[in-house]
Amino acid sequence: MEPRIVVLASGSGTNLQALIEATRERDFPGQIVAVGCNRPQAFALERARQAGIETFTVDHTEYPSRAEFDAAFSAEIERHSPDLVVLAGFMRILTPEFVRAFHGTMLNIHPSLLPKYTGLNTHRRALEAGDSLHGVSIHFVTEDLDGGPVIAQAQVDISADDTPDSLAEKVQQMEHVLYPIVVRWFCEGRLTLSEDGACFDGLPMTTPMVLPANDA
Ligand code: NHR
Ligand code: GAR
């Protein structure tokens, strides 16, 4: 059977859309079996419904603690027996218990060139720092927030007239290219997490795979 993928999202779901389109290709080695959300109004849910994919929502505002939200959310995820959990614009920090339950089988896409700018508002922070290069990283999720082993990155150039919004748009275009590639590698069994970090075809990755900026 093809690897079963559960995608978790909180917002507009453009990365989800890119993954839906990629996994629809006849030769794609995995299937999205469900989309989970912590916000009932997230447009990601609508995209999943449009694609005929099962959805579930666990509204974090209805839970008194992170631990209780995470317990309810992970129970919903487990019902779908995922081989891979994909965070795609998922905006809640996950407890160590949650992360341990999906060790080596959970990926996140983060809008910066990690280890730079973990956390939020990455585009504004890259601009304020005067950086000329920015981008996106895909990493295994560990207890260390945005600190798990990085698998792949795509760079974008920052130009003088960029704003946080224009930069976000450029970065997102690369996200939609890179995430389906990395999810495919995972589904093909080429990507694993070992004590030495991320491995590709069984060999530890000493450095992430990088798609360079156009005029780098
Ligand atoms: N959880 C763990 N344990 N490890 C990671 O690497 C995680 C994670 C949960 C989410 C995505 C991450 C990102 O790509 C992610 C990686 C949300 C926040 C945050 O501060 C930080 C990082 C990420 C996602 N969230 C606020 C919180 O209190 C809420 C913000 C909101 O709801 O808008 O959880 O950047
Ligand atoms: C993406 O740019 C993703 O990198 C970022 O949110 C956006 C979600 O867009 N993720 C984070 O900031 C995680 N904290 P989408 O909902 O359209 O895929």
Side-chain angles (χ1 to χ4, degrees):
M1 264 306 273
E2 288 191 331
R4 299 169 60 82
I5 305 167
V6 170
V7 179
L8 306 181
S10 301
S12 73
T14 62
N15 278 287
L16 168 65
Q17 190 69 49
L19 291 167
I20 288 172
E21 278 155 33
T23 52
R24 267 188 191 145
E25 295 291 324
R26 202 167 23 82
D27 73 334
F28 199 92
Q31 46 170 333
I32 303 175
V33 294
V35 171
C37 215
N38 64 305
R39 290 183 191 278
Q41 303 304 328
F43 191 63
L45 290 168
E46 185 54 34
R47 294 182 193 270
R49 286 183 207 114
Q50 284 290 330
I53 298 169
E54 214 182 301
T55 65
F56 58 89
T57 304
V58 181
D59 184 345
H60 68 274
T61 64
E62 290 173 4
Y63 290 81
S65 70
R66 271 185 205 275
E68 284 159 280
F69 165 73
D70 276 20
F73 201 39
S74 61
E76 284 295 313
I77 297 166
E78 298 281 15
R79 284 201 307 115
H80 298 281
S81 311
D83 300 295
L84 172 64
V85 176
V86 174
L87 307 188
F90 183 71
M91 295 308 289
R92 298 297 299 171
I93 296 172
L94 299 163
T95 57
E97 293 68 34
F98 185 107
V99 169
R100 260 184 250 127
F102 299 103
H103 184 80
T105 65
M106 183 156 52
L107 304 177
N108 178 45
I109 190 156
H110 180 76
S112 78
L113 295 175
L114 290 171
K116 280 191 154 190
Y117 314 123
T118 61
L120 305 177
N121 304 312
T122 56
H123 308 302
R124 183 174 54 70
R125 287 155 67 201
L127 284 171
E128 282 173 4
D131 292 359
S132 56
L133 205 57
H134 186 49
V136 56
S137 304
I138 296 169
H139 64 92
F140 277 108
V141 175
T142 66
E143 295 175 35
D144 188 8
L145 185 67
D146 296 328
V150 179
I151 298 157
Q153 299 182 317
Q155 304 173 342
V156 303
D157 287 310
I158 298 182
S159 52
D161 57 359
D162 266 320
T163 63
D165 282 350
S166 71
L167 203 47
E169 197 173 309
K170 287 198 277 189
V171 168
Q172 286 214 359
Q173 280 183 16
M174 297 313 299
E175 293 185 2
H176 303 157
V177 173
L178 196 61
Y179 222 172
I181 293 172
V182 172
V183 168
R184 173 185 282 271
W185 286 336
F186 187 94
C187 290
E188 290 171 340
R190 307 187 74 180
L191 265 183
T192 49
L193 180 59
S194 81
E195 243 123 78
D196 302 316
C199 296
F200 191 78
D201 287 347
L203 299 173
M205 297 176 70
T206 48
T207 174
M209 300 198 233
V210 179
L211 279 179
N214 276 334
D215 47 342

